[in-house]
Amino acid sequence: MQAIKTLLLITSLFTLTTYGQDTYIVTAKKGLNIRVSPDSNAKKLGVLPFKYELKLDINNSNTDIVETIKDGENTISGEWIKVELKQLPNIHANHRYGYIFDAYIKWKNPYKDIGHIDTFEKLPSLKFTAITEVEFYKTDSIPPSQLTKIEKDDSHFFIKTKKETHQFKFYKDYGKNGGWSGSEFIGYYPAFKFYAITNSFTSGGLGFGQFILIDSITNYQYNLISIGDGEVQQPIPSPNNDYLIYYYNLMYSESESFISLIKVNASAKSEVNNYLSEYKSYHSQDWKVEAIRWSNMDTCIIKASEKVYQNKTWIKTYKYFKTDIKQ
C-alpha cells in the first residue's frame, strides 16, 4: 500500500489539469502575479485580484514547467500555465500570452475527488471467495453507460449541463518528444445524469490519466482518483444504482490491482461532498482484474488473471471470485 500512496501523492500535484475550457477563480488573497514567462522571477505584467474569474482551456495551457515555491512558512508545488491576455482588459502588454502559477487558482464549480487511499484504509475491506468460470459467465455483462450524441468540431467536443458548456480537446499523441494530452467522451449514465470523460496528459515529464464524472443537472464534477499513471476503469453501477465499482491495474506489475467501491447517497445529490463517498476497497498483490460484473444488488463477481511460468514461458491463467459488498 505504501507504493500506492507514493503514486497518489505524485498524481495529486497535477489534479488541476483535468478540466477543459472552464471558469477559474484566483485564490491568492494578495492577488496573483501574471508574468511574461513561466518563472517566478520573470517580469510581472500585472496582478489578478483575489477571486478574479478567468476562462482557461487547461488542456491547451500546459507548459510542463513545474516549480516549488515558498509562501510564508508553506512550500507549494504547481505548474505554470499560459493565459491569453486579450481576456484581461487591465493587462496591457505586447504579448499574446502571460503566465500564472496554477497553485493559486481553482475551478469555479464545485467538485470532489473520490477514491482517497487514506480514507479507504480506515474502512472495511471487500472479502472475496473463489467461484467457477461457469458461475461468472452465468451473469450477463451490462454496459455501464450509453453513448449519446454530443457536439464537436475538428479539435474539441462539448459537454452541456444545465448551467455551463464544458469544452474538451480530443486526445492526441504528439510523438516521443511532445507527450500527449486530451480527452475522450466515454458515455452517459442516465440513472445518475452523469457524463463520463477520461483525460490523459503529460506534465513535468510524467504521464497521468483521470476519469471524470460531470453531473448534467447540478454541474458538479467528481474526479475518480487514479492510484497510478493511467485513469481508473469505467465505474459499473449496481442494479439498484446504490453503488459504483471500478478498478485499476497497476501498470508496472503483472499481478497487482486495486478495486474501489463507492456508495451513492441518493438523498444528497445536491451536496457535492456527500453524494458519492468511499465505502470499501480491495488491494490485490496476486492478480489483475479482467472484468467486474454485478450478479445481484449486493454481489459482484470478478474475472482475474495472473501470469505463471510454465515450460520456459509465461502463461496467463484466470481466476474467478465473488464478493458480498454488505459483508
Side-chain angles (χ1 to χ4, degrees):
M1 189 65 75
Q2 184 59 41
I4 289 178
K5 281 187 173 181
T6 301
L7 288 167
L8 182 59
L9 178 61
I10 295 171
T11 304
S12 67
L13 295 176
F14 303 99
T15 54
L16 179 65
T17 53
T18 297
Y19 318 109
Q21 185 174 11
D22 281 316
T23 303
Y24 291 82
I25 300 174
V26 173
T27 60
K29 292 188 176 180
K30 294 182 179 180
L32 176 60
N33 293 325
I34 184 163
R35 299 185 181 273
V36 70
S37 61
D39 188 302
S40 58
N41 296 315
K43 178 184 175 181
K44 286 198 299 185
L45 295 173
V47 179
L48 302 179
F50 178 54
K51 292 188 178 180
Y52 186 88
E53 296 185 7
L54 68 161
K55 285 282 188 179
L56 293 174
D57 182 352
I58 292 294
N59 284 327
N60 288 326
S61 301
N62 294 344
T63 65
D64 284 345
I65 298 174
V66 177
E67 189 173 349
T68 299
I69 66 172
K70 290 288 291 184
D71 185 354
E73 297 181 354
N74 299 318
T75 300
I76 299 175
S77 294
E79 181 181 350
W80 287 94
I81 58 176
K82 62 183 179 182
V83 180
E84 284 196 295
L85 295 180
K86 66 181 181 181
Q87 68 169 301
L88 308 174
N90 295 326
I91 305 295
H92 303 288
N94 295 322
H95 301 277
R96 180 179 177 183
Y97 295 106
Y99 296 85
I100 59 175
F101 195 54
D102 73 2
Y104 294 105
I105 59 175
K106 70 175 182 179
W107 193 49
K108 181 181 178 181
N109 294 310
Y111 72 94
K112 181 181 180 180
D113 292 331
I114 306 291
H116 294 282
I117 296 297
D118 290 344
T119 302
F120 277 128
E121 285 186 334
K122 299 173 185 177
L123 297 173
S125 175
L126 292 165
K127 298 177 181 178
F128 287 92
T129 56
I131 60 173
T132 65
E133 179 180 4
V134 172
E135 288 178 273
F136 178 83
Y137 284 108
K138 278 183 179 178
T139 302
D140 293 331
S141 178
I142 301 173
S145 64
Q146 56 187 232
L147 285 174
T148 58
K149 289 185 177 180
I150 56 173
E151 292 184 16
K152 54 187 176 182
D153 58 24
D154 291 339
S155 58
H156 293 79
F157 64 88
F158 306 90
I159 299 297
K160 290 188 175 182
T161 70
K162 283 196 170 183
K163 297 185 177 181
E164 190 169 352
T165 297
H166 302 264
Q167 174 178 296
F168 292 89
K169 183 182 70 173
F170 284 123
Y171 175 84
K172 183 177 180 181
D173 190 333
Y174 295 95
K176 183 177 181 181
N177 298 321
W180 63 86
S181 67
S183 304
E184 181 182 359
F185 175 58
I186 300 301
Y188 184 72
Y189 289 77
F192 305 102
K193 305 295 190 294
F194 281 161
Y195 289 106
I197 299 102
T198 59
N199 188 63
S200 301
F201 56 94
T202 54
S203 184
L206 300 174
F208 297 91
Q210 293 177 315
F211 200 102
I212 308 162
L213 298 171
I214 299 178
D215 193 312
S216 63
I217 305 300
T218 64
N219 206 36
Y220 296 163
Q221 179 164 319
Y222 302 91
N223 306 318
L224 302 185
I225 296 175
S226 171
I227 62 171
D229 293 351
E231 72 274 1
V232 301
Q233 296 297 311
Q234 186 175 4
I236 305 170
S238 62
N240 55 1
N241 299 310
D242 286 344
Y243 299 92
L244 291 164
I245 194 165
Y246 60 88
Y247 67 91
Y248 178 83
N249 289 324
L250 273 72
M251 289 186 176
Y252 307 110
S253 170
E254 294 293 342
S255 58
E256 191 170 2
S257 59
F258 187 82
I259 299 172
S260 172
L261 182 66
I262 302 300
K263 184 174 176 59
V264 181
N265 305 299
S267 61
K269 185 172 178 62
S270 62
E271 304 171 26
V272 69
N273 289 320
N274 297 318
Y275 184 43
L276 303 181
S277 58
E278 296 91 341
Y279 185 67
K280 289 184 178 183
S281 66
Y282 186 81
H283 177 208
S284 172
Q285 296 182 329
D286 300 317
W287 38 262
K288 286 191 170 186
V289 179
E290 296 284 330
I292 294 181
R293 298 178 181 178
W294 290 89
S295 61
N296 59 51
M297 289 187 295
D298 298 323
T299 305
C300 281
I301 54 177
I302 308 289
K303 179 181 180 180
S305 66
E306 65 174 345
K307 287 188 176 180
V308 296
Y309 194 69
Q310 293 180 355
N311 300 323
K312 298 182 179 181
T313 186
W314 287 99
I315 299 173
K316 181 185 281 191
T317 62
Y318 297 98
K319 298 178 178 181
Y320 302 88
F321 302 95
K322 70 175 179 180
T323 180
D324 184 337
I325 64 172
K326 295 297 182 65
Q327 287 185 348

